[in-house]
Amino acid sequence: MENGEIPENANEHCPGPQSESAGKSDSCQGCPNQEVCATAPKGPDPDLVAIAERMATVKHKILILSGKGGVGKSTFSAQLSFALAAMDFQVGLLDIDICGPSIPKMLGLEGQDIHQSNLGWSPVYVESNLGVMSIGFMLPDSDEAVIWRGPRKNGLIKQFLKDVYWGEIDFLVVDAPPGTSDEHISIVQFLQATGIDGAIIVTTPQQVSLIDVRKEVSFCKKVGVPVLGVVENMSGLCQALSDFRFMRATETGEQQDVTEKVIEHMREKAPEMLDLIACCEVFDRSSGGAEKMCVEMAVPFLGKVPLDPQLCKAAEEGRSCFTDQKCGGSASALKSIIDKLLETNQWKQEIPINE
């Protein structure tokens, strides 16, 4: 337990050896370290000083949170990082989703390794101004499950914060796992002294997701992290009409693909239809969606991003959705949200001027 580190064999919700409740809290019951922690001298965690020194070169720190998994939080984190880097900001993307690190794939960095220098761990770079750090770079096999208790996860997060050398950067985007678990508490505690600009919360429109987002907003308020805004992702399906497959139900209940005939008919009779984008609701939004929830909980609403198969494809291929015209509505929706974020927080005036 050097330097106040949480031992690997500690109970899941260990308060830490340096905590005043170490060895005394309910979560300490049955822990093999309980007696040692209860009698050990208490004091400030010296690693927090090292973290503060590392983070002194980071201007802005943004947490990306979600109440549930599968709402597109990592996709948003990746595209936000791509967008900020395209504006010539110096950007770092830190993936603290220990058990489900998807950021390496979404940035096109699968199979890359972390390198060490005399300054610490070096991030893996997509571009010269976009660096990434994730446990995904440390796994010998991408199919390998990370089966860690809370203390070991917290230890890695602390190591990422104190040992990774980002250099002078404008933004550190932190992609957190869903929920309000140990990782969230740890990242807030470790970064609080250095200042967290706030959190962006990603959700989908249906009530089952919004219920958990309300808890996420409550968590942010309790730990003192400002909510920069909520993004409603998968807000309806938007796709070019020409990209749809058209099916006809047969008498036997099977489906017959008639796409080629339909497209040919439109090309002959109504070619202007091929340029249309078809949109429809995918999730039940009778509750009013994220926008209504934001009004009720007095937090900013940043905007909606449609469910776009081309955006999903960009994430699978590890590329920015802003570099071509394929992502249509989703790219413009994301750009509007990012512009609003920069404008509201007065970060737009910091955009570097190309000489």
Side-chain angles (χ1 to χ4, degrees):
M1 284 191 288
E2 293 182 12
N3 294 332
E5 289 281 0
I6 297 175
E8 290 188 11
N9 62 344
N11 288 352
E12 186 167 359
H13 297 289
C14 172
Q18 297 297 321
S19 170
E20 291 298 328
S21 61
K24 304 170 188 176
S25 72
D26 291 342
S27 61
C28 297
Q29 298 302 315
C31 177
N33 309 291
Q34 185 174 7
E35 186 176 346
V36 175
C37 288
T39 57
K42 307 296 186 292
D45 184 349
D47 283 337
L48 295 182
V49 177
I51 290 171
E53 289 175 354
R54 281 292 191 197
M55 292 296 107
T57 60
V58 179
K59 285 185 183 177
H60 304 293
K61 306 167 198 72
I62 304 172
L63 307 183
I64 311 298
L65 309 177
S66 70
K68 295 183 71 66
V71 300
K73 170 187 54 61
S74 294
T75 299
F76 181 81
S77 298
Q79 297 304 324
L80 172 63
S81 300
F82 275 129
L84 292 173
M87 296 175 188
D88 289 328
F89 285 117
Q90 298 292 324
V91 184
L93 175 53
L94 175 59
D95 180 8
I96 63 166
D97 192 344
I98 308 299
C99 295
S102 52
I103 287 297
K105 181 171 184 60
M106 291 186 175
L107 274 292
L109 298 172
E110 282 186 298
Q112 297 292 321
D113 296 318
I114 295 172
H115 299 286
Q116 225 169 353
S117 70
N118 58 343
L119 295 172
W121 289 353
S122 296
V124 178
Y125 284 90
V126 184
E127 302 287 348
S128 61
N129 64 334
L130 175 53
V132 181
M133 181 55 66
S134 170
I135 191 178
F137 300 134
M138 301 176 174
L139 301 177
D141 182 354
S142 60
D143 295 332
E144 185 173 322
V146 179
I147 308 173
W148 288 2
R149 288 184 179 272
R152 194 171 178 191
K153 292 179 186 177
N154 298 343
L156 181 62
I157 292 170
K158 180 185 282 188
Q159 199 164 7
F160 278 159
L161 293 175
K162 72 184 180 70
D163 290 346
V164 176
Y165 179 68
W166 298 100
E168 298 274 350
I169 62 173
D170 299 298
F171 291 96
L172 179 65
V173 177
V174 181
D175 183 44
T180 53
S181 56
D182 281 354
E183 292 95 318
H184 302 78
I185 298 169
S186 296
I187 195 74
V188 171
Q189 287 179 340
F190 296 153
L191 287 180
Q192 209 133 43
T194 69
I196 302 173
D197 288 77
I200 298 172
I201 304 174
V202 181
T203 183
T204 51
Q206 77 272 40
Q207 189 65 21
V208 70
S209 180
L210 294 172
I211 288 171
D212 289 332
V213 169
R214 290 174 180 273
K215 297 172 185 173
E216 202 78 39
V217 172
S218 176
F219 166 82
C220 289
K221 290 181 177 179
K222 284 182 178 178
V223 298
V225 174
V227 177
L228 299 175
V230 175
V231 173
E232 184 179 281
N233 199 23
M234 306 183 194
S235 185
L237 171 67
C238 286
Q239 187 172 356
L241 195 62
S242 56
D243 289 341
F244 274 92
R245 290 180 63 202
F246 296 88
M247 314 297 289
R248 174 182 287 138
T250 64
E251 293 180 358
T252 60
E254 297 178 341
Q255 291 186 333
Q256 179 185 3
D257 191 331
V258 294
T259 304
E260 192 173 333
K261 290 181 181 178
V262 172
I263 295 296
E264 185 59 33
H265 183 77
M266 282 194 292
R267 189 174 287 118
E268 289 180 6
K269 304 295 184 181
E272 68 277 4
M273 289 184 66
L274 295 173
D275 295 327
L276 296 179
I277 295 175
C279 298
C280 68
E281 296 295 342
V282 177
F283 299 114
D284 176 26
R285 54 182 311 118
S286 58
S287 64
E291 193 166 8
K292 183 181 177 185
M293 184 217 69
C294 287
V295 172
E296 293 170 351
M297 300 202 74
V299 293
F301 179 66
L302 291 175
K304 303 175 183 180
V305 182
L307 179 59
D308 180 357
Q310 290 297 331
L311 176 60
C312 299
K313 188 175 181 181
E316 288 286 320
E317 295 175 353
R319 58 182 172 82
S320 169
C321 72
F322 304 103
T323 54
D324 53 42
Q325 302 302 312
K326 293 180 181 178
C327 292
S330 60
S332 60
L334 282 165
K335 185 178 184 306
S336 176
I337 287 170
I338 293 166
D339 284 343
K340 186 175 182 180
L341 180 69
L342 295 174
E343 191 75 51
T344 304
N345 295 281
Q346 299 183 336
W347 296 333
K348 208 159 193 174
Q349 61 198 33
E350 299 178 21
I351 294 177
I353 299 173
N354 289 320
E355 296 182 0

